[in-house]
Each structure stands twice: as C-alpha cells, then as structure tokens.
Amino acid sequence: PRALGPAILRARVDFAVDFDLDRFSRRTRKMSVEETPEVVVDEAATPGAQLNDKVTVIVHPLVLLSTVDHYNRVAKDTKKRVVGVLLGNKSKGSVDVTNSFAVPFEEDLRNPNIFFIDHDFLSTMYDMYKKVNTRENIVGFYSTGPKIKENDIRIDELIRRFCPNPVFVIIDVRPDVEAIPTTGYMSVEEVETDGKDIKRTFKHIPSMIGAYEAEEVGVEHLLRDVNDPSTSSLQNQIKAKAAALGGLREQLIDMKSYLENVLAGKLPVNNLIIYNMQTIFNLLPNLNIDELIIALKVKTNDMHLVIYISSLIRCVVALHDLVRNKIQFKDQDPDGEKAAVEEKKGEKEEEKKEGEAEAKEGEGAKAAEKKK
C-alpha cells in the first residue's frame, strides 16, 4: 500500500482482505511485523487526520499563470476575488501543486455569509482532469485574496469531500507586489477557551515556488518578451535588490503591527512568533563599528568609480562607431553624395528663380497701380 513508508519496508506485511461483492469495500486488514510494530495512518482513509507541522506547499509556474489568467478574465479592475481548485500530489511532507482549474464562484461583498460555488462543475472538471492525468489529485484550493475571508473555512469543508487535508493557497495577483505571491494555509481543529466547542481555523504553512526542468525552460522562453534586453545585468541586480528591500520593509511593518496589537491586547501572545523575532534580531549585524563603516564607504566609492568609467568608455565607443560608420558609407557611396549635393543646388536655384519671378510680378503690379 502507498501509506507504508520506507521505515517499515523491512517488515513482512500480510493482508487478509474480504471483499463485499455488492459494495466492493475493504473490510479487514491485518499487519504483522517482525520487529517493533509501527502504526501507519492512511491519510486517504482518515478524514480527521491531524496536520503535520512539516508540510510545505510547492507551487509550480503553470498554477500562477492559470490564476492570473482566471483573474483577468473574471474579476479584473474589480474588488472581487476568484477561487479555483489545486491539483497535484503529496509526498514526504510536501505538497506539489502542478495544475489547477477555475471554479464558478460568487460572494456578496456586503454579507460575507452569502456565497455560491458550483459543486457539479467542480466534480465534472475533476473527472475530466482525472482522465487526462491519473496522478494529479485534488490537494486544495486557491484564492486571489489577498487576505483570508470568512467563507474560506466553508470552502475548505467542501474541498474535504475530495481531499482529507486540503491546502489553501492565497495567490496575490496585484502587479505592485514585489514579494513572493503565494501564502499557504491548512485548517486545524482548535478547542475554544471554555473547552466546550471545537472549531476549525487556518494555520500558516511554508510555501515556495518550484518548477521542473521543462517548466524552467518554458518560463525562460516567456521572460524573453518581458525583460528589456537593453538593460544591463548590473541594473537588473540593483532592481532585484530594491525589490527585496521593499519586501523586507513590508515584513518589518507586519512584525511591528503584530507587536502593537499584542501590547494593546487585541491578539494573544504566540511564543513561537516571539522566538522567531528574537532570532532575527540576534542575527542582525552590528553596523556601529568604525572599521565596518569605513570599509563600506571604500567599497561603495570603488563601485561608483567603476560605473563612472564604464559609462565614459561606453560613450566613447559609441561615438567611435558612429564616426567609423560615417567614413565607411562615405567611401562606399561617393556618387550618392554627389547626387545629393547636386539636388540641393538645383533646389536652391529653383527657389531663387521663384523669388525673382515673384519680385517681377510685384513690380509689374506696382507699375500698373501707378498708371491707374
């Protein structure tokens, strides 16, 4: 069975399966292990399986392109969001999201409790995708957010009919966002403070952008039309650094707002978040050392000197090529220049003749007026 991991491959597993001819259901399964028995949980057979803290969502480029296309077709220049289903596979604590498809979705912006999602369309599309690629299963759903909304937990309950532990990925399609556009979540059961009710809430999980070799080739081919070939690599590097600093600034603003909400009593204290912040602050370098400040200034001046000299050399080379081109075409086409000079002379002579004719006509007109 697929649920057996490599840790128990040495075990001898015997199955006693009794099939009901009417329902084709598996009733019993017996397992005997030579060494210490291990409990194996089949996620596909246990809808209430708990969340593994080491789950990582890997979103492939095709999903990002499909989501952007879905948003541009349905909700461009509006405050609406779009929702779709994620397809892929799960293995060793990672969820590979390799494909997706859009789902008809509507919600009332005034009343968040009212929303519509087409169940029949979802089932039909999944059956069609299953015929094309049997390895791709429903692993979760996506939304263009950009934040979690109240209806998302209900959509999670719907997706649980097809997948025991679905992932929820918010894909930010706003063009002005420079950070990673994906944010991953999974729903977990939490007991309220009174201990009576159990409710589901979303828990953040790591997410990253990954691609197979064929996908990387396709993305590079698409970026040829996006990137400006006239810009130098240094300019691209500076642009990437500026974008990274902008993303860091946004993260710092989020940390500041979280700490302010904790101090104001609006949010509970999460020790894990506080420990991570403390680790980040401890890793920051000490920039108040005089030697480090001098070294940074010297390095910056050296880089600016190289940039200045490179710009001068580029201008000189461009002027040299221009003069060289002019001389080359002048030697290759001397008749053309002579013809051009003759044409200019002819034009000037015609202009003189026209001016003389106009002057004579003016004198004749004046003489006629005097006679009158």
Side-chain angles (χ1 to χ4, degrees):
R2 289 176 297 177
L4 295 177
I8 58 174
L9 289 179
R10 301 184 306 272
R12 186 180 73 252
V13 182
D14 297 327
F15 290 96
V17 182
D18 181 20
F19 286 97
D20 189 344
L21 296 178
D22 295 331
R23 302 177 185 175
F24 295 94
S25 62
R26 182 174 295 178
R27 291 182 177 177
T28 61
R29 183 173 66 179
K30 296 180 181 179
M31 181 177 66
S32 61
V33 184
E34 293 179 350
E35 299 178 359
T36 305
E38 299 184 19
V39 179
V40 179
V41 180
D42 189 356
E43 293 182 357
T46 57
Q50 296 298 323
L51 172 64
N52 185 5
D53 294 335
K54 297 182 180 179
V55 174
T56 303
V57 182
I58 302 174
V59 183
H60 288 248
L62 180 61
V63 179
L64 301 177
L65 294 175
S66 300
T67 305
V68 173
D69 178 68
H70 183 198
Y71 179 80
N72 289 333
R73 287 187 289 104
V74 177
K76 187 177 181 180
D77 298 331
T78 63
K79 295 182 179 180
K80 297 181 180 180
R81 60 171 181 159
V82 296
V83 175
V85 176
L86 300 174
L87 302 175
N89 51 72
K90 299 180 180 180
S91 62
K92 298 180 181 180
S94 65
V95 180
D96 274 302
V97 183
T98 56
N99 205 347
S100 65
F101 63 86
V103 176
F105 174 79
E106 290 290 340
E107 63 180 347
D108 191 353
L109 298 178
R110 298 179 181 178
N111 188 359
N113 294 324
I114 300 175
F115 75 97
F116 165 77
I117 187 168
D118 197 337
H119 302 198
D120 297 334
F121 180 85
L122 194 156
S123 301
T124 305
M125 287 294 294
Y126 178 55
D127 293 337
M128 294 173 63
Y129 271 90
K130 200 68 176 175
K131 293 178 182 178
V132 176
N133 190 351
T134 57
R135 296 182 180 180
E136 289 183 347
N137 301 315
I138 293 179
V139 295
F141 65 102
Y142 71 83
S143 168
T144 55
K147 300 292 182 181
I148 296 178
K149 297 189 177 182
E150 296 180 8
N151 296 330
D152 293 333
I153 199 68
R154 299 182 180 179
I155 300 173
D156 181 81
E157 294 177 1
L158 170 64
I159 302 298
R160 282 184 176 275
R161 301 177 185 176
F162 305 91
C163 176
N165 287 321
V167 298
F168 173 41
V169 180
I170 294 179
I171 301 176
D172 199 341
V173 297
R174 293 176 296 179
D176 56 341
V177 177
E178 298 289 348
I180 297 177
T182 59
T183 308
Y185 299 94
M186 255 189 176
S187 63
V188 295
E189 292 181 350
E190 287 188 355
V191 181
E192 293 187 353
T193 55
D194 54 2
K196 296 180 180 180
D197 297 333
I198 298 176
K199 65 177 183 179
R200 280 197 167 272
T201 58
F202 283 112
K203 180 180 179 181
H204 182 269
I205 57 175
S207 64
M208 59 183 295
I209 308 297
Y212 298 128
E213 185 177 357
E215 292 175 331
E216 291 180 357
V217 174
V219 171
E220 290 177 358
H221 183 71
L222 290 174
L223 290 178
R224 291 178 181 176
D225 298 332
V226 177
N227 292 335
D228 188 3
S230 63
T231 58
S232 62
S233 59
L234 179 60
Q235 185 175 353
N236 292 332
Q237 292 177 5
I238 294 174
K239 186 177 180 181
K241 296 287 186 184
L245 291 174
L248 177 61
R249 181 176 178 274
E250 293 179 0
Q251 298 295 332
L252 292 175
I253 291 174
D254 292 340
M255 293 168 61
K256 178 185 177 183
S257 62
Y258 171 76
L259 294 175
E260 289 177 349
N261 291 329
V262 170
L263 290 175
K266 297 180 181 179
L267 291 176
V269 179
N270 190 330
N271 293 327
L272 182 59
I273 296 176
I274 300 299
Y275 293 155
N276 288 335
M277 288 184 180
Q278 187 65 38
T279 303
I280 293 171
F281 293 144
N282 291 336
L283 292 175
L284 292 176
N286 185 9
L287 300 178
N288 295 325
I289 302 174
D290 295 336
E291 295 179 356
L292 180 60
I293 295 173
I294 294 173
L296 288 174
K297 290 182 178 179
V298 171
K299 184 69 174 179
T300 304
N301 291 334
D302 292 343
M303 292 179 64
H304 287 163
L305 177 62
V306 172
I307 294 172
Y308 177 69
I309 295 175
S310 301
S311 300
L312 289 177
I313 293 174
R314 183 184 297 177
C315 293
V316 172
V317 170
L319 290 174
H320 176 73
D321 291 339
L322 179 63
V323 174
R324 191 173 179 180
N325 249 351
K326 187 71 175 176
I327 295 172
Q328 182 179 358
F329 284 109
K330 184 178 180 180
D331 294 338
Q332 288 181 357
D333 192 14
D335 297 334
E337 290 188 357
K338 291 180 180 178
V341 172
E342 291 177 357
E343 287 179 0
K344 289 181 180 180
K345 288 182 179 180
E347 290 176 357
K348 289 181 179 180
E349 291 178 355
E350 290 179 358
E351 290 177 357
K352 287 182 180 180
K353 290 180 181 180
E354 290 177 357
E356 291 176 356
E358 291 177 356
K360 290 180 179 179
E361 290 177 357
E363 292 177 356
K366 290 179 181 180
E369 289 178 357
K370 288 181 179 180
K371 289 178 180 181
K372 289 179 181 182

